[in-house]
Amino acid sequence: MKQTVYTASPESQQIHVWRLNSEGTLTLVQVVDVPGQVQPMVVSPDKRYLYVGVRPEFRVIAYRIAPDDGALTYVAEAPLPGSPTHISTDHSGRFLFSASYNAGSVSVVRLDDGIPGETVDVVEGLEGCHSSNISPDNRTLWVPALKQDRICLFTLADDGNLTAQDPAEVTTVEGAGPRHMAFHPNQRFAYCVNELNSSVDVWQLSDPHGKIECVQTLDMMPADFVGTRWAADIHITPDGRHLYTCDRTSSTLTIFSVSEDGSVLAVEGFQTTETQPRGFNIDNRGKFLIAAGQKSHHIALYEIAGAQGLLTEKGRYAVGQGPMWVVVNAF
């Protein structure tokens, strides 16, 4: 398995392309100058394209991924109705979703053989919309509205339109600020990191088109933490055994173990990381975690080891200015 790591640095308008080997070493393959401040990124389900959200001229740019070394070649772009805060695709690769915090909306862009085209739907009224997360069955789009302390639920139609489900939302505690999400591989549980109180909610998907229940809320900060809580990102290992979150104020990665059925999290430890970790990701083998320091202008690579999933730093690499996003592609 070949693995490539992509890091987005909006301040220098660059994407760095890295080859990740089995020993946990990164080798720089390419630096791409992007026409705008590149922030969110996602790889297409077929691994052929990297999609990136750009501002201040709001659009999504598609880059073709070279099958030999993961290098990028510009292919096409399409306008977006709002500033892209987070982008994702459905599992079939037919639609791209763009969540816009400033516009308070989520939009759906049609993908024609991987190429972004027309916007087929826009849902507004989602204050602080921070991500769009398609369920494992490819039917339900979970859209956290941070300023409203709710996650809105939409059914994705075959034509790409979104329809509010029944129930149309689930709510967090007041002031939590739901932000990013991850799904357990068994498709029975979802996890949401809350930005404003740095907690994690566990949602049981016993019936994703009916009853959805929060079965656990867990603090992700050390007991002695004093300061403003400012959580950012969340990811789970491919085997579902370990979950990780990051907090920007403390520059900390929190390590959770996940129960066998996915219903219960337990804090296993904390890892100090790069300054202001806005984004991180996990490789496709579940062996390594790569964290980006928005204020350190570096990324750090950690090995995931042991029953607790604790982290050991393997290397540190300079990237562009203000790195915010990390994605990993395997081919």
Side-chain angles (χ1 to χ4, degrees), residues 177-189:
R179 179 180 170 98
H180 287 180
M181 297 185 66
F183 293 96
H184 193 279
N186 68 14
Q187 305 185 11
R188 295 172 51 204
F189 294 91

Side-chain angles (χ1 to χ4, degrees), residues 231-298:
D233 208 359
I234 184 169
H235 293 280
I236 192 169
T237 54
D239 62 8
R241 295 177 56 199
H242 309 295
L243 184 85
Y244 300 85
T245 60
C246 61
D247 180 88
R248 287 167 285 183
T249 299
S250 61
S251 299
T252 299
L253 295 163
T254 303
I255 303 155
F256 300 89
S257 59
V258 185
S259 64
E260 186 173 352
D261 68 353
S263 65
V264 179
L265 303 178
V267 175
E268 297 290 351
F270 305 94
Q271 175 70 48
T272 300
T273 189
E274 296 294 322
T275 306
Q276 196 166 300
R278 166 61 174 74
F280 71 94
N281 220 316
I282 296 168
D283 81 312
N284 291 269
R285 293 188 178 97
K287 289 183 59 179
F288 303 108
L289 183 150
I290 306 98
Q294 191 173 5
K295 295 299 184 182
S296 71
H297 316 299
H298 281 70

Side-chain angles (χ1 to χ4, degrees), residues 138-150:
N138 210 45
R139 294 182 60 191
T140 301
L141 191 68
W142 293 59
V143 184
L146 184 149
K147 293 183 178 181
Q148 296 171 326
D149 293 319
R150 61 175 181 152

Side-chain angles (χ1 to χ4, degrees), residues 88-145:
S88 60
T89 72
D90 78 313
H91 299 308
S92 69
R94 297 177 58 221
F95 303 106
L96 180 139
F97 312 110
S98 177
S100 178
Y101 180 91
N102 290 333
S105 66
V106 61
S107 58
V108 184
V109 171
R110 190 183 312 280
L111 297 172
D112 184 9
D113 193 26
I115 304 301
E118 65 173 337
T119 296
V120 297
D121 199 6
V122 180
V123 178
E124 300 178 320
L126 309 171
E127 295 181 25
C129 181
H130 222 299
S131 65
S132 48
N133 311 270
I134 194 69
S135 62
D137 65 4
N138 210 45
R139 294 182 60 191
T140 301
L141 191 68
W142 293 59
V143 184

Side-chain angles (χ1 to χ4, degrees), residues 4-16:
T4 303
V5 176
Y6 301 97
T7 58
S9 301
E11 293 176 24
S12 54
Q13 301 184 182
Q14 294 173 317
I15 299 171
H16 284 63

